[in-house]
Amino acid sequence: ELLLELRKIKSEQELAWLKRSAEIAVKGMRRAAELVEVGRTELEIAAEAEHAMRLAGSGGTPFSTIVASGRNSWLPHAVATHKKLRRGELLFVDLGATFEGYASDMTRTFAVGPTPRQKRLMELVKRAQAAAMTRVKGGVRASVVDETARKIISRGGYARFCLHGAGHGVGMEIHEPPSLSPTSKDILENGMVITVEPGVYVPGVGGARWEDMVQVTKNGHKLLTAFNSL
């Protein structure tokens, strides 16, 4: 517990390594986005994204790259399979890199010929993330960030499909304090690095998640994983 507490606030060197790790993850996500088309397999996209990150200097992946389409996208912690992408499906890609032992984590949702309901679902989750981001700054309770995202999702009618908290700390491990959940007692502080990642997973429709890494500052935050998939 003592070590985890000490690791919440990153040094300038750690922040530089985390920033580089995030930049490498963006390169992987950019490659994944290029491959989203009917007939590609989840594993093919995952492999190409990991290859791009390796070429960019990643020391490896801090977790198994997730590419989840169709039925698989209904599961928040799916794994990449031999399943081929089909028209009328949502898919999300959750990946990360490592640099000097420091992890990164980001998620984007894509669609192959989406239905109107799927489009609305994607837009809702992105709106929830954008709202949650506005609450990220030093001195704010981590639970407030989660609450902000959850309210947007609830107003959209998908409260029961919001299956996890809005984020977590990132550092030498992919999941570190603070926790951005409804029950979290953590307070955001300048120098923390966290994810903001609301998600909604609707059987029969699809799963959507947007996740970015940000550095918490005294008056706001700095986005570390800038990449727009829409």
Side-chain angles (χ1 to χ4, degrees):
E1 291 298 322
L2 174 61
L3 288 175
L4 288 174
E5 190 67 28
L6 290 171
R7 281 163 53 181
K8 281 184 180 179
I9 309 298
K10 273 56 179 181
S11 68
E12 287 301 317
Q13 179 63 83
E14 287 178 306
L15 290 172
W17 286 335
L18 284 162
K19 182 174 183 291
R20 180 60 185 144
S21 183
E23 289 169 350
I24 294 170
V26 169
K27 292 181 184 294
M29 189 63 72
R30 184 170 291 116
R31 180 58 181 148
E34 293 170 351
L35 297 172
V36 175
E37 60 186 19
V38 173
R40 296 278 189 186
T41 69
E42 295 171 348
L43 280 169
E44 182 182 358
I45 295 172
E48 288 286 340
E50 290 181 10
H51 184 232
M53 291 190 291
R54 280 289 197 178
L55 289 177
S58 177
T61 57
F63 58 93
S64 296
T65 300
I66 298 173
V67 180
S69 63
R71 295 177 62 90
N72 294 338
S73 73
W74 309 347
L75 307 172
H77 305 292
V79 296
T81 70
H82 291 285
K83 180 188 172 302
K84 293 183 178 180
L85 274 56
R86 299 174 183 169
R87 180 163 293 279
E89 292 184 333
L90 294 183
L91 68 146
F92 66 86
V93 179
D94 187 348
L95 54 75
T98 61
F99 186 77
E100 296 294 339
Y102 284 78
S104 53
D105 193 4
M106 67 181 297
T107 306
R108 291 293 184 273
T109 301
F110 304 92
V112 182
T115 65
R117 188 179 180 188
Q118 288 171 335
K119 286 182 180 179
R120 289 195 298 271
L121 187 65
M122 292 171 69
E123 290 164 359
L124 175 68
V125 174
K126 194 167 187 184
R127 252 192 349 266
Q129 195 221 33
M133 286 280 207
T134 67
R135 306 307 300 270
V136 176
K137 67 176 181 178
V140 172
R141 287 182 290 115
S143 60
V144 168
V145 181
D146 178 274
E147 181 184 16
T148 302
R150 211 169 284 270
K151 280 183 178 178
I152 299 291
I153 291 168
S154 294
R155 287 172 190 158
Y158 289 96
R160 67 191 180 97
F161 301 108
C162 185
L163 305 179
H164 55 72
H168 54 84
V170 184
M172 296 177 73
E173 296 180 50
I174 197 62
H175 289 99
E176 295 187 352
S179 167
L180 281 68
S181 69
T183 59
S184 176
K185 304 300 183 185
D186 292 313
I187 305 293
L188 300 183
E189 298 180 59
N190 182 39
M192 287 180 170
V193 173
I194 63 171
T195 68
V196 181
E197 54 171 308
V200 176
Y201 311 90
V202 186
V205 180
R209 178 162 78 235
W210 260 269
E211 176 183 25
D212 281 295
M213 265 175 70
V214 299
Q215 175 188 334
V216 180
T217 64
K218 183 178 179 181
N219 298 312
H221 63 272
K222 295 179 182 177
L223 179 63
L224 303 181
T225 48
F227 176 77
N228 189 2
S229 64
L230 281 182

